[in-house]
Amino acid sequence: MLPFYESPLFLLPAGPKNLVGIFPLIDWNNVEEYFITLKDEDDLPIATSGLHAMGCYGEDTYRVHFLNKAAGCFDAINFNRVPITHESTSSTFQRPLPASFQKTDTGVERHNIKSNETLDALSQSYPEEAMDWLCELADSPVAFLEWAGTQGQADSFIPLVIKDTRIIKRKTENRFVYDFRLQFQMSNSNLTIRR
Amino acid sequence: MQPGSAVTPKIVAAYRPILFRVSATNTNGGPLPPVVYCDVYINDLYYKSLSATQYASITDVASEWLFDISDICQEALDMDVPLNGGSALITAQKPILKTFCRFRASGYNASNFVQVEGVAPQQSTGTMPPVAGTGLQSETFMVLNAVLQHEDNQDLVTHLSHFRRSANYKPDAYPGTHRPAPYFIGKGQSDYFPVLYLGDKVLSKLCLSYRLKGQANFIETCFNIPQVCNSVVSNVTLTLLPGNLIQVTFESTPPATIFEYAIDGGSWQLAPGTTFFITYNDLLQYLITESGQPVLTDDTGEIIIPEDVDLYDVPHTIEVRPRCSNGVYGTSDSAVITIDSAAVCNPPELFEFVDINYGTNKINFNITLPAPHANFQLAWSFDYGGYLSGEPIQDHVFGANPFAWDIPPGYPPGGGSFRVKIRTKCGDDSFSGWSPELIIPYNPPLAEIIIEVDSIVNTGTGTYRVIIHTTATSMDPITVEGYFVAEHSSGSTVSFNYTVVVPAGMTTGTAELPNAAPGGAVVYGGQINNAFPDPTSDSKNLVY
């Protein structure tokens, strides 16, 4: 017999951005840490999240959501001060000049121009015990960048492609700080124009 | 053997084998069927099938067959991308499936072709919904889009229980994540915490426990999850389509995105969308199951309707209700439909070959038409040397079994096969679908012809008379076409074709050989046939 709900899998709003709509009086600037609890009609806990620690994350923080292996739902990791590299590739061809030419006439031109952004993301927030979970991000088939909507658009997610990587899960020294480094590219490369 | 742990409902990970081990026998008797099918149903709809022709083990009584449906489930699973910054509690639909399987064994029919038991399901197409079939049904279980590594506990819920970062969990609730604690997040950032809850308590409150900077204690504040669903279903419309398909359409107001339907106050089923179909078999299985009886099929795979289950000529109420993501149901609506037995044009319930009477030139069939119809149409063609003679359609009225069908005149030209199918005629312009086609080999026995040349008499210049005896079996009257080759003693041949008609009761006929030269003659004779045997022959010397 199936339970009361057709699907027994629930996503509880758990980020400050999600909770501000439910708890509008909370001053999140002063919150150190928190957790959420789902309760039943008898006021008894059904499930409780782990502790959420508020960190110093600002405009230069990139939050990447990925598909976890536990239930096919989304977890997320923050990366600070992420350098972004714009790369473009192209081919060239040469136009012949007419006998009487103008200064602006071209010889060699480029075409087939492709470009994309590569994000070099580094997180040093999690200890060695969390490396298995961090590697779920490295293995995730999809990833999304939490995106604050621009130009009047609503906030959403921008799809990313995780580049293949090599991660040290366990070091022999300096085991209190781990560099979790990944490279991402935009799933949708930039559109370019032709002359 | 079926998948799932000891918890109820059973739930398994998609990225580990999801194994069934079933016992099957040949439908004709014996332990070994030629093929066994595993039909996979996802969220109550048929999805696709696996088949196996190699058993895992066998005894004198039965054979055992293994099926792994994990690949199929992985294909059907997907991800739910929640709203950036959304405040609603979300019921995730795509990363988890409700699944069961139906199994069908097989045997061989009279023509030694594989015949699978029960009713085969049909996959959906771009315009048609899937059609459920029959078979031995497994337990229903859930498949989660989860991975269990080699070193993980292979029981999914036990594995997830080890990732509870707090003691405040009901025994049947589990985190849907391996995330550590503490889990870092910033002000203004979005996040969702996945929970797998297998119990039946209402999700009543979402509580936030927070500690301010410089403080030691946590403060709890709670939000009552609205136990209302403002969605309203309206304009439920039921339309009876050909093939006894019931089309259900309805409208609804937000925010519900999940809908359920029930027939005659029975169990609620998930509705696939605001337009969906209930097939004849679906309706029948539903009504039979709701009456507490098993769904049984006859030898043709058709569902046997119990006496106390009324399908036709009684009103059936179909109710549709919306469900919001908090699990609360909104306002439902219903409509009534009556399936008029007289208007329904079902295909024939039985159409099987009995035998061929070559003497009367008829093929006998057993036919059962759906009550109360007795008229049907028969379409036939003849397959002779790869050439099909077309599909003429005849009107017939069914009386009693066996139904004797007159073989059309002129057939057979030789050996070949008749292809025959029938459909119910419910009115001048109302027909059911066609029955499966029967392929009936038609090989009349060759008349045995013995030619005995008694004498060749020279009756005069250039004319010879050959008296022959022929013996033909069984058919009355017959036409024997004889092929005669007269050989001269000089070695040259002269060939003639003569038709020798042997009326019933006579055993002799004559043929004349004009202009044959003096000498010996060998007379051949045989029935012209596509499988022409060596003609019988005899000879006499010409007598001058």
Side-chain angles (χ1 to χ4, degrees):
Chain A
M1 182 176 147
L2 290 175
F4 179 67
Y5 302 99
E6 185 65 34
S7 166
L9 186 62
F10 304 98
L11 306 180
L12 310 184
K17 189 176 180 182
N18 314 91
L19 296 169
V20 72
I22 304 173
F23 306 103
L25 301 180
I26 303 295
D27 180 6
W28 290 95
N29 290 313
N30 284 327
V31 173
E32 183 83 43
E33 57 189 7
Y34 69 94
F35 58 90
I36 58 168
T37 304
L38 182 66
K39 293 187 178 180
D40 63 16
E41 66 266 38
D42 301 320
D43 211 29
L44 295 173
I46 295 175
T48 303
S49 73
L51 207 58
H52 286 63
M54 298 292 291
C56 291
Y57 301 110
E59 289 182 357
D60 60 352
T61 299
Y62 282 74
R63 184 169 178 78
V64 176
H65 295 251
F66 63 96
L67 213 55
N68 71 31
K69 294 182 182 179
C73 298
F74 282 94
D75 291 343
I77 295 175
N78 288 335
F79 298 93
N80 269 336
R81 297 186 294 278
V82 175
I84 302 175
T85 307
H86 177 97
E87 296 175 84
S88 62
T89 60
S90 64
S91 306
T92 58
F93 69 99
Q94 184 160 15
R95 289 180 187 278
L97 284 173
S100 95
F101 59 89
Q102 300 181 15
K103 286 284 184 282
T104 54
D105 286 342
T106 55
V108 174
E109 286 189 28
R110 64 196 301 226
H111 71 108
N112 197 22
I113 303 165
K114 296 180 175 37
S115 81
N116 206 329
E117 267 71 44
T118 301
L119 284 66
D120 261 296
L122 171 66
S123 169
Q124 296 176 316
S125 302
Y126 289 97
E128 183 177 290
E129 293 76 34
M131 291 309 290
D132 279 340
W133 173 70
L134 288 170
C135 288
E136 289 189 18
L137 167 52
D139 296 346
S140 177
V142 295
F144 292 94
L145 181 65
E146 190 172 318
W147 178 72
T150 58
Q151 302 169 23
Q153 299 172 97
D155 297 349
S156 186
F157 297 98
I158 300 293
L160 302 171
V161 173
I162 303 167
K163 296 185 92 173
D164 295 346
T165 187
R166 195 167 162 274
I167 293 170
I168 297 174
K169 286 180 70 175
R170 183 186 167 99
K171 300 188 288 186
T172 54
E173 52 188 27
N174 195 18
R175 289 172 61 188
F176 294 101
V177 178
Y178 274 81
D179 289 350
F180 179 69
R181 189 183 297 276
L182 280 183
Q183 279 193 327
F184 304 92
Q185 269 194 329
M186 294 297 171
S187 176
N188 297 297
S189 56
N190 296 318
L191 297 171
T192 57
I193 62 172
R194 300 181 292 183
R195 65 176 288 171
Chain B
M1 180 184 84
Q2 305 190 49
S5 65
V7 297
T8 302
K10 298 179 186 298
I11 186 163
V12 297
Y15 290 88
R16 292 304 281 173
I18 302 175
L19 288 175
F20 288 93
R21 192 179 182 100
V22 294
S23 176
T25 57
N26 190 306
T27 54
N28 303 121
L32 185 59
V35 61
V36 177
Y37 285 92
C38 168
D39 304 321
V40 182
Y41 290 74
I42 290 176
N43 292 348
D44 293 322
L45 297 176
Y46 171 64
Y47 186 70
K48 67 163 50 171
S49 295
L50 293 173
S51 63
T53 53
Q54 176 60 52
Y55 53 82
S57 66
I58 191 168
T59 66
D60 292 338
V61 176
S63 48
E64 289 200 329
W65 303 75
L66 273 178
F67 294 95
D68 179 1
I69 68 167
S70 58
D71 203 52
I72 291 176
C73 293
Q74 291 166 24
E75 184 181 283
L77 287 162
D78 202 346
M79 60 183 181
D80 263 320
V81 182
L83 201 62
N84 182 342
S87 300
L89 185 148
I90 296 171
T91 304
Q93 296 286 323
K94 294 178 183 176
I96 189 163
L97 308 171
K98 170 182 153 187
T99 312
F100 63 84
C101 294
R102 288 183 180 154
F103 299 92
R104 293 175 291 124
S106 59
Y108 297 95
N109 64 12
S111 303
N112 227 29
F113 287 108
V114 174
Q115 188 161 42
V116 186
E117 70 173 340
V119 176
Q122 296 175 28
Q123 285 186 309
S124 62
T125 67
T127 53
M128 290 300 293
V131 178
T134 60
L136 178 66
Q137 185 165 321
S138 73
E139 292 177 343
T140 300
F141 58 98
M142 297 251 174
V143 180
L144 184 63
N145 199 8
V147 176
L148 291 171
Q149 304 296 345
H150 184 75
E151 55 271 21
D152 289 333
N153 190 307
Q154 295 301 297
D155 180 76
L156 176 63
V157 292
T158 304
H159 164 77
L160 291 176
S161 69
H162 287 277
F163 291 90
R164 290 168 172 153
R165 304 298 180 189
S166 158
N168 289 333
Y169 271 87
K170 283 193 182 305
D172 47 11
Y174 309 88
T177 173
H178 297 143
R179 64 179 69 171
Y183 176 72
F184 296 97
I185 196 165
K187 176 173 73 83
Q189 291 187 331
S190 179
D191 191 66
Y192 290 85
F193 184 76
V195 170
L196 182 68
Y197 177 50
L198 305 179
D200 57 3
K201 290 289 189 181
V202 175
L203 310 186
S204 185
K205 287 183 184 175
L206 187 67
C207 297
L208 169 68
S209 301
Y210 62 97
R211 184 175 67 79
L212 295 174
K213 293 175 181 175
Q215 302 295 316
N217 299 318
F218 282 82
I219 303 167
E220 185 184 66
T221 177
C222 292
F223 169 75
N224 290 321
I225 298 170
Q227 300 304 313
V228 294
C229 179
N230 295 321
S231 287
V232 176
V233 163
S234 61
N235 293 333
V236 175
T237 305
L238 308 177
T239 308
L240 188 63
L241 301 177
N244 299 330
L245 198 61
I246 300 175
Q247 177 182 282
V248 183
T249 60
F250 61 92
E251 296 171 4
S252 72
T253 58
T257 55
I258 300 169
F259 303 94
E260 298 174 351
Y261 73 94
I263 305 174
D264 297 339
S267 307
W268 290 97
Q269 312 282 314
L270 192 67
T274 52
T275 298
F276 64 96
F277 299 89
I278 302 172
T279 67
Y280 171 83
N281 274 344
D282 286 342
L283 179 60
L284 203 45
Q285 288 180 42
Y286 181 97
L287 293 175
I288 294 173
T289 304
E290 287 297 311
S291 71
Q293 302 177 69
V295 177
L296 302 174
T297 57
D298 60 21
D299 292 340
T300 66
E302 291 294 319
I303 297 173
I304 299 170
I305 305 177
E307 283 188 12
D308 57 343
V309 172
D310 294 321
L311 180 63
Y312 298 109
D313 304 322
V314 294
H316 295 291
T317 302
I318 297 178
E319 185 179 0
V320 181
R321 66 181 183 182
R323 197 178 85 224
C324 293
S325 59
N326 57 8
V328 179
Y329 294 98
T331 305
S332 67
D333 189 24
S334 63
V336 178
I337 189 168
T338 301
I339 304 173
D340 182 2
S341 59
V344 167
C345 198
N346 283 323
E349 297 173 0
L350 174 68
F351 178 51
E352 67 179 7
F353 166 73
V354 178
D355 58 23
I356 304 175
N357 189 328
Y358 291 105
T360 60
N361 221 31
K362 294 177 189 292
I363 300 179
N364 292 314
F365 300 101
N366 282 337
I367 294 175
T368 301
L369 295 177
H373 304 291
N375 292 281
F376 67 98
Q377 287 191 330
L378 181 146
W380 66 273
S381 68
F382 191 76
D383 186 354
Y384 170 60
Y387 170 72
L388 289 174
S389 57
E391 285 194 356
I393 296 178
Q394 305 166 343
D395 280 299
H396 294 277
V397 179
F398 176 71
N401 281 322
F403 171 80
W405 177 55
D406 288 305
I407 293 173
Y411 285 91
S417 298
F418 279 101
R419 293 170 176 266
V420 188
K421 59 186 179 183
I422 66 171
R423 65 181 179 181
T424 313
K425 183 175 180 180
C426 303
D428 288 340
D429 297 314
S430 175
F431 302 96
S432 74
W434 288 101
S435 69
E437 186 179 71
L438 297 180
I439 301 175
I440 303 161
Y442 191 86
N443 294 306
L446 292 174
E448 181 182 352
I449 298 173
I450 300 173
I451 295 182
E452 180 181 319
V453 179
D454 281 340
S455 66
I456 302 176
V457 178
N458 181 2
T459 58
T461 302
T463 301
Y464 296 87
R465 186 172 62 193
V466 177
I467 301 173
I468 63 172
H469 291 271
T470 66
T471 305
T473 60
S474 76
M475 302 185 74
D476 178 22
I478 65 168
T479 299
V480 176
E481 297 191 35
Y483 166 74
F484 294 91
V485 174
E487 283 192 354
H488 298 272
S489 58
S490 64
S492 61
T493 60
V494 177
S495 62
F496 308 91
N497 286 328
Y498 293 88
T499 299
V500 178
V501 178
V502 182
M506 292 187 67
T507 59
T508 62
T510 61
E512 295 194 345
L513 304 174
N515 301 323
V522 179
V523 176
Y524 300 84
Q527 184 181 28
I528 291 178
N529 190 289
N530 198 31
F532 187 82
D534 290 334
T536 58
S537 65
D538 196 0
S539 67
K540 290 288 184 187
N541 288 321
L542 291 172
V543 177
Y544 287 90

